[in-house]
Amino acid sequence: TQWFDERKAKWKNVKYSLKNYMQYIERIDHKFLKEYFLTGQAGELNISDYEPLLNDYVGSNFFTYHLLVNFWLNPDQSEDRWNSVWYSMTKNYPLKRCVGSYQKNRERFFESANQGGVYNEYGAYGGLEERMVKYFVLSDHYTEEKILIENKEVRMIPWTDADTTFIYIFGGCSNYFQKKIEKGLKSNPYDPYQYLLPLMIDCFKYLNKNNFDDEYAINSLKNNMRNLLYGLCFQDKYYFQHVEYGKKVYDILESGVAPKFILDIWRNVKNEKTIFGN
């Protein structure tokens, strides 16, 4: 059928992504992933299927990353099915035999979506990153609250405090541009940090200025800002998504909503005679 032919043609991008970003998934498992991508079967990865599937594929770590696999590769990308997968992780645990963990899926998601140097227009997860990140960062507001996932308490925000959360999201924008500036590397067009700006803004009221007072922290913020300005001056070198993210970060800094110590650094960087190096 036409649908199957189109799906099969897309597999080359999935295979590229698996090879370059998902090294933690064994090559031997790619054939099962291909079957799942083309049909939605490999015994559908519903929660009740995990144990018999694990018994069938002894030694395979394919199903360790069931959350990523379910979201990314199933042909049915409906909201209802995604919600069903999420429900299975939050309501039906624990299983007699545990497969992976939410924390590990969360770590792997950010790791694979932020590596540099081998990305193409497909990105890591084919543009599904914006939908997926909402299942790994569970609030647009900074909180230290925890919820039960797999019958374990898990932080709603994956980073340990507001300072760290801000650094990851703010630095994510800079990282897009820095990879290209310094190493000529491509970044993921759908890097998930670009979808977390509301959370970054919410972190402002919790930031501890004392944690940004040392020379290393100040220089890191300065470099992030320089990379941002560079990227916005040479927009044709970057993916459209990165430029749009850069513009949003620029507007946030210009709006004055950030803490004074960050705005002071921002003004100093903008006033530098040379910010672009070579």
Side-chain angles (χ1 to χ4, degrees), residues 113-142:
N114 289 282
Q115 295 179 84
V118 289
Y119 287 99
N120 56 22
E121 285 72 11
Y122 180 83
Y125 295 95
L128 291 172
E129 287 87 333
E130 182 175 8
R131 289 181 65 190
M132 293 171 72
V133 73
K134 295 176 182 177
Y135 290 88
F136 295 112
V137 183
L138 302 175
S139 175
D140 284 338
H141 302 283
Y142 181 76

Side-chain angles (χ1 to χ4, degrees), residues 189-230:
Y190 312 105
D191 190 302
Y193 290 124
Q194 65 191 295
Y195 309 116
L196 298 176
L197 282 179
L199 175 59
M200 185 189 81
I201 294 172
D202 195 63
C203 285
F204 286 156
K205 58 180 175 284
Y206 302 106
L207 297 186
N208 185 345
K209 181 180 181 298
N210 294 332
N211 292 333
F212 295 89
D213 272 349
D214 64 273
E215 185 178 357
Y216 175 82
I218 292 172
N219 286 335
S220 294
L221 287 174
K222 285 183 175 179
N223 286 333
N224 288 339
M225 293 170 181
R226 290 177 185 129
N227 290 333
L228 167 62
L229 290 171
Y230 184 100

Side-chain angles (χ1 to χ4, degrees), residues 39-243:
T39 67
Q41 307 296 315
E44 164 72 49
L45 299 189
N46 291 322
I47 202 80
S48 59
D49 293 325
Y50 288 152
E51 287 191 276
L53 286 170
L54 282 166
N55 291 333
D56 288 343
Y57 305 126
V58 176
S60 169
N61 70 354
F62 169 18
F63 299 103
T64 301
Y65 304 101
H66 50 278
L67 185 59
L68 293 178
V69 167
N70 263 288
F71 285 168
W72 177 30
L73 296 183
N74 193 288
D76 179 2
Q77 293 296 334
S78 67
E79 183 176 347
D80 285 346
R81 197 191 64 81
W82 279 38
N83 288 338
S84 174
V85 172
W86 181 247
Y87 182 86
S88 73
M89 295 196 72
T90 56
K91 304 298 181 183
N92 290 0
Y93 271 74
L95 298 177
K96 293 179 180 178
R97 180 175 179 179
C98 182
V99 285
S101 71
Y102 172 77
Q103 288 282 46
K104 183 61 68 175
N105 277 256
R106 177 188 256 176
E107 291 169 10
R108 294 302 195 189
F109 172 72
F110 280 102
E111 175 187 311
S112 54
N114 289 282
Q115 295 179 84
V118 289
Y119 287 99
N120 56 22
E121 285 72 11
Y122 180 83
Y125 295 95
L128 291 172
E129 287 87 333
E130 182 175 8
R131 289 181 65 190
M132 293 171 72
V133 73
K134 295 176 182 177
Y135 290 88
F136 295 112
V137 183
L138 302 175
S139 175
D140 284 338
H141 302 283
Y142 181 76
T143 177
E144 296 183 357
E145 290 182 27
K146 298 179 179 180
I147 65 171
L148 283 178
I149 302 178
E150 300 171 327
N151 219 33
K152 302 172 186 175
E153 282 197 336
V154 175
R155 288 176 60 92
M156 294 181 68
I157 305 297
W159 302 288
T160 55
D161 52 53
D163 295 334
T164 305
T165 303
F166 162 74
I167 289 168
Y168 269 97
I169 301 172
F170 186 68
C173 175
S174 167
N175 200 34
Y176 300 150
F177 302 127
Q178 182 182 22
K179 289 175 182 176
K180 187 75 173 181
I181 296 167
E182 295 183 356
K183 302 177 182 179
L185 302 177
K186 289 184 177 181
S187 300
N188 180 3
Y190 312 105
D191 190 302
Y193 290 124
Q194 65 191 295
Y195 309 116
L196 298 176
L197 282 179
L199 175 59
M200 185 189 81
I201 294 172
D202 195 63
C203 285
F204 286 156
K205 58 180 175 284
Y206 302 106
L207 297 186
N208 185 345
K209 181 180 181 298
N210 294 332
N211 292 333
F212 295 89
D213 272 349
D214 64 273
E215 185 178 357
Y216 175 82
I218 292 172
N219 286 335
S220 294
L221 287 174
K222 285 183 175 179
N223 286 333
N224 288 339
M225 293 170 181
R226 290 177 185 129
N227 290 333
L228 167 62
L229 290 171
Y230 184 100
L232 294 181
C233 282
F234 300 97
Q235 297 180 18
D236 60 327
K237 296 178 180 289
Y238 303 100
Y239 287 121
F240 168 80
Q241 295 92 329
H242 297 170
V243 174

